Amino acid sequence: MLKRPIFIYTELSPNPNSMKFVLNFELVPDGLSFDYPSHASALEEGKISPLAADLFQFPFVQRVFIASNFITLTKDEQTQWEEVLRDVKAFIKIYFEEEQPVFDQSTISKNTVVVSANESETVQKIKAVLDQYVRPAVESDGGAINFHSFDEADGKVKVLLQGSCSGCPSSTLTLKAGIENLLTRMVPGVKEVVAEGV
């Protein structure tokens, strides 16, 4: 049987320590993403990723983020991308040529997205705006944004920023100038947007 060819290209992200490794096939079902801030997190029940665990074997890797058809790696301050890029790309290529798994089977089944009918109309609108307008832009920068919660009383939306957005100097600006602006204009009742876990 012929194996599929594996192509990988890299894209810089707004976070200088994060690099996006884009593949020519899907790694994760659309709308799902997995953020691993440490080697131990790649082995946690419910989100086990042999790929992420192996990428942490590179001593400079500080975070692994997997979504859609890309992997975003965040490195330490001391290492320069030029020094390590070729080795990382070669590792990822060989990993997939050997048909190694991205996730443990239990990971995907536990993380399928469920839309709740109990959500208020405002929450449904917030999620729709995030999915339609914000997620594609954030993913193109090697990150992800997920809805966390909405407080009807004070109009505050909490979102989770992952991947290259986590710890990125420009993510706060993007959050306030871009996402907050968009949501306050498009969804009545939203007054503020804040990030959880940045």
Side-chain angles (χ1 to χ4, degrees):
M1 196 171 102
L2 280 173
K3 289 188 176 183
R4 69 177 166 205
I6 290 161
F7 301 109
I8 303 166
Y9 68 90
T10 55
E11 287 180 2
L12 291 168
S13 82
N15 182 344
N17 289 326
S18 293
M19 183 70 71
K20 188 175 168 185
F21 295 81
V22 185
L23 291 115
N24 59 322
F25 53 90
E26 195 174 70
L27 301 172
V28 180
D30 204 27
L32 284 185
S33 59
F34 296 86
D35 196 23
Y36 300 99
S38 66
H39 182 264
S41 66
L43 304 172
E44 278 175 25
E45 192 63 42
K47 53 183 279 189
I48 297 170
S49 171
L51 172 62
D54 282 0
L55 285 165
F56 276 111
Q57 302 305 319
F58 287 103
F60 55 85
V61 171
Q62 302 214 307
R63 183 178 220 113
V64 177
F65 176 74
I66 304 169
S68 186
N69 66 331
F70 67 89
I71 302 158
T72 300
L73 295 183
T74 303
K75 65 171 184 61
D76 59 28
E77 292 283 341
Q78 301 74 38
T79 308
Q80 298 305 308
W81 279 119
E82 306 83 70
E83 300 166 5
V84 296
L85 210 53
R86 187 180 304 211
D87 290 344
V88 175
K89 276 176 82 170
F91 170 83
I92 294 171
K93 189 169 172 45
I94 291 165
Y95 190 91
F96 286 109
E97 281 172 350
E98 292 177 354
E99 298 181 2
Q100 298 293 324
V102 178
F103 300 106
D104 183 272
Q105 267 320 106
S106 64
T107 301
I108 294 291
S109 57
K110 280 197 175 98
N111 288 285
T112 47
V113 181
V114 178
V115 177
S116 172
N118 304 337
E119 290 170 346
S120 71
E121 195 179 324
T122 305
V123 168
Q124 289 174 10
K125 281 182 185 166
I126 292 166
K127 285 184 171 183
V129 170
L130 289 175
D131 278 348
Q132 206 171 343
Y133 300 100
V134 182
R135 179 170 284 124
V138 173
E139 280 190 359
S140 74
D141 285 341
I145 183 166
N146 290 304
F147 174 80
H148 181 272
S149 61
F150 175 62
D151 187 329
E152 305 264 353
D154 63 9
K156 187 185 286 185
V157 175
K158 285 187 181 174
V159 294
L160 295 170
L161 294 176
Q162 298 174 311
S164 66
C165 302
S166 204
C168 173
S170 62
S171 66
T172 310
L173 181 67
T174 303
L175 188 74
K176 291 296 174 189
I179 302 165
E180 185 174 271
N181 238 340
L182 188 69
L183 281 171
T184 51
R185 266 197 350 260
M186 294 183 78
V187 185
V190 172
K191 293 179 177 54
E192 186 186 6
V193 178
V194 295
E196 281 283 290
V198 171

